[in-house]
Structures are given as C-alpha cells and as structure tokens.
Amino acid sequence: MASQPNSEANEVFRWVLDVHSEWPCSSNVRAGRDASTFWAQENDNQRALNFLTTEEREKVLRFYHIRDVKLSLGSQLLKHCAVVHGCHVPWPESFISKHENNKPCYVPQIGSRKQLEFNVSHHGFLVALAGCVDKDIQIGIDVVQVDTVKDLPRVRQEGWPSWVETYEAVFSDREVKNIATWQPSQSLDGDDLLRAKLRHFYAHWCLKEAYVKMTGEALLAPWLQDMEFRNVQVPRTANNLPTMNPTDDWGETISNVEVWRDGKEVMGIKLELQAFRDEYLIGTASSRLDVPFSSFKLLDLERDVYSAAETRWPS
C-alpha cells in the first residue's frame, strides 16, 4: 500500500487538503445550474466522484460554483479516507453515519471494528479534518480564510466598532468589547491596522466555530452568547516567526485559550488555533485533555487519498 496519513488511536489526527489546483476543468465553466454537470465530465473529476456513493455525488454536484463543488468533494473524500486509515476498513465499507445531532461519524456495522469520531470544515480552498479512534471523545474543527480584500471596504464604510457589533449575536458582550477595542502589539495604522484587527476577529470566530461543532450544535445554540473565550492570541504566520522557513506553510500554534460560560471557567476542553499560510486560521476543539493533537498533515490527493480508495483488501 502507498504512503498513508498517520491516524493513531491515542491521538487526534489532523489533515488538510488544498483543492485549489485539484480537479480542473478544461473549458471555461461559469457558475450556474449546469456548471457542475460540465465539470463532472472531465475524466479526473469522474474518477474522484466514483469513489463516493450516489447520494454523496448528488450532494457534491448540487452546487453552482465550481469551488464549492471541489470543497464538497474534498470533504466527502476525507471522511472516507479517515475511516479507512483510522479503523482499517476497506473504502467500500467506510459508511458515514450520523449522531442524533446530525454530526457525521463512523459507527461500525461489525462489532469488532473501531469507532471513529471526526469533524470536517472547509473555507477558501482548504478542507480540514480532525478525527480520533475513540467513541468517548467529541471533536470540532474549523478553518477560516481571512479575506481582508472582501472585508476591508465594508469595515472602512461602517467603522470598526460598528462592523464588529453586527456579529453581537455570536459573541458575548465581553468578547464584542474586547474585539472592538483590541490593539496589536506592534504600531500599525490605516489598512494594516484593520487587517490585524480582522485576524484577531477571525481568531475568535474560528475558535467559537470549532467549539460549537465539537458539541454538535450550530452557531444558533441558545447558550452562544453565554460562552466566551479569553486570552485569545493571534497566531503568527510562518514568515513572521523568528525561525522563519521560507518554504514552510505552517505558522504559530496558540493553545492557552480559556473557555468561560455563565461567568465560570469551563475545564477539560482542549483548544488550539493554528496559522496556515498567510490567510488561513484553523481551530481545533476536543473534549479530552488527555488525548494529544497530532501536527497537521497537508495531504497529497494521489498518494494519501486515492491510494486508500483504490487499495485492494484481502477477502
């Protein structure tokens, strides 16, 4: 079998797949009702779609924008890949189940097989997955592309405090005040200052998304404004670290975030916020302090995913 992503049972394994250059289309396909139909006619794209169930393929091809199609396809493939590698199950038997709260998981149909808890997120051109071979753990992951080009015009028009207040339904009063008044340690002004403030905002957003996904609830959870993060730091990108490696995509990792709810600190939650390239933040949340997080692995589609799907298992 070809080289495979590591997925040890005593850790939360974490993967990232960049779909930007994957599954291209030779023709200039515009967004619309038939975009995914034209895209799916490409041989390489058909190959990937054939690894999915009929229901999963229909879900992937319902999108109008090709980027959304590719993100959905990447998400589906990583779920199956996680089951194959984590539970040593042949790809055709890697059935994706759901908990009562509609959160995807893998519950084996054969009692001797292992159960896998996992969570998937995608944004920009990245798909991220965190998983653990353990039924007694909850996991959440969120990836955010900090798109300052999109956000800056509106921030300039509304002003920073007013822009932040539009998200007050997601954050506690303390968080809203903290985000609105936060200042970076270095002296910045103009758009550079607003870009730093946006990264700080999305650091909060990414952590909150990961946490609520861990619980299986959405950002409409009734306790959302009662739960807040304290001591949130913004992880530095790789090119801003003292030991800068020009070829390294991975920046700083922040792990000393505190979770508070109803005025009391919530114990027993493991949180990390990871900087990736210049524009991405990835948050991971776990209900188990005793289960370590692996380093992130940037997957190669052919070597890590297709090899798992095409491997022949002994009968």
Side-chain angles (χ1 to χ4, degrees):
M1 186 182 295
S3 174
Q4 302 171 355
N6 185 30
S7 53
E8 297 296 332
N10 61 345
E11 70 175 7
V12 174
F13 60 92
R14 298 184 294 178
W15 301 339
V16 169
L17 178 68
D18 184 352
V19 302
H20 183 270
S21 59
E22 305 294 352
W23 309 305
C25 192
S26 57
S27 58
N28 186 18
V29 178
R30 295 182 178 181
R33 187 181 301 274
D34 299 324
S36 62
T37 302
F38 287 110
W39 173 88
Q41 294 174 1
E42 300 284 339
N43 289 337
D44 287 345
N45 304 342
Q46 288 180 7
R47 178 190 179 194
L49 288 168
N50 286 338
F51 296 137
L52 306 182
T53 66
T54 300
E55 181 181 357
E56 290 166 345
R57 284 194 295 271
E58 292 174 352
K59 184 177 180 180
V60 167
L61 296 176
R62 72 184 182 186
F63 292 99
Y64 285 9
H65 295 273
I66 298 303
R67 179 168 70 172
D68 295 330
V69 173
K70 292 164 68 171
L71 288 171
S72 179
L73 174 57
S75 296
Q76 298 291 350
L77 290 173
L78 286 201
K79 293 175 189 178
H80 288 283
C81 191
V83 175
V84 171
H85 291 304
C87 302
H88 306 291
V89 174
W91 189 284
E93 299 176 25
S94 59
F95 305 110
I96 307 302
S97 306
K98 289 186 178 181
H99 289 299
E100 293 179 358
N101 58 15
N102 214 35
K103 186 178 178 181
C105 64
Y106 171 71
V107 179
Q109 297 181 338
I110 299 175
S112 60
R113 287 179 175 168
K114 301 172 183 178
Q115 182 167 329
L116 180 74
E117 293 296 319
F118 64 85
N119 196 232
V120 182
S121 176
H122 55 72
H123 197 216
F125 286 100
L126 282 191
V127 182
L129 180 143
C132 185
V133 184
D134 194 325
K135 64 179 180 180
D136 297 319
I137 192 172
Q138 293 175 293
I139 300 170
I141 193 167
D142 188 62
V143 57
V144 172
Q145 182 185 39
V146 183
D147 190 349
T148 57
V149 174
K150 173 180 69 70
D151 290 329
L152 275 176
R154 187 178 161 197
V155 172
R156 293 193 202 103
Q157 180 181 4
E158 299 180 13
W160 178 251
S162 296
W163 185 84
V164 172
E165 287 175 2
T166 62
Y167 297 93
E168 60 185 2
V170 177
F171 299 108
S172 71
D173 291 341
R174 181 189 177 108
E175 285 176 315
V176 171
K177 182 179 179 179
N178 175 268
I179 294 170
T181 61
W182 178 85
Q183 294 289 331
S185 58
Q186 65 271 45
S187 178
L188 300 172
D189 55 22
D191 284 354
D192 288 337
L193 176 60
L194 291 179
R195 291 187 186 96
K197 285 176 173 286
L198 281 166
R199 279 187 66 84
H200 180 252
F201 166 84
Y202 281 113
H204 278 269
W205 181 278
C206 190
L207 287 168
K208 185 150 289 194
E209 280 269 21
Y211 183 92
V212 297
K213 291 179 71 180
M214 177 194 72
T215 67
E217 301 190 54
L219 283 177
L220 296 177
W223 44 262
L224 201 60
Q225 290 178 300
D226 300 321
M227 185 270 291
E228 65 189 27
F229 297 107
R230 301 183 185 179
N231 195 36
V232 175
Q233 307 296 318
V234 183
R236 292 172 292 177
T237 58
N239 58 4
N240 285 317
L241 293 175
T243 55
M244 180 186 70
N245 181 348
T247 63
D248 196 357
D249 288 326
W250 299 101
E252 190 175 24
T253 302
I254 300 298
S255 59
N256 56 347
V257 181
E258 298 175 0
V259 184
W260 289 68
R261 184 169 174 180
D262 298 322
K264 298 180 180 179
E265 187 172 4
V266 179
M267 309 304 292
I269 302 297
K270 188 178 182 67
L271 286 169
E272 272 194 8
L273 187 62
Q274 172 75 55
F276 179 70
R277 294 177 180 161
D278 289 336
E279 71 274 32
Y280 288 102
L281 296 171
I282 309 173
T284 313
S286 168
S287 62
R288 294 274 298 276
L289 289 174
D290 61 324
V291 180
F293 290 157
S294 75
S295 298
F296 278 97
K297 179 179 176 63
L298 182 61
L299 299 188
D300 177 89
L301 187 64
E302 189 72 42
R303 181 192 65 227
D304 297 321
V305 181
Y306 288 171
S307 66
E310 296 174 338
T311 294
R312 294 184 178 275
W313 290 69
S315 56

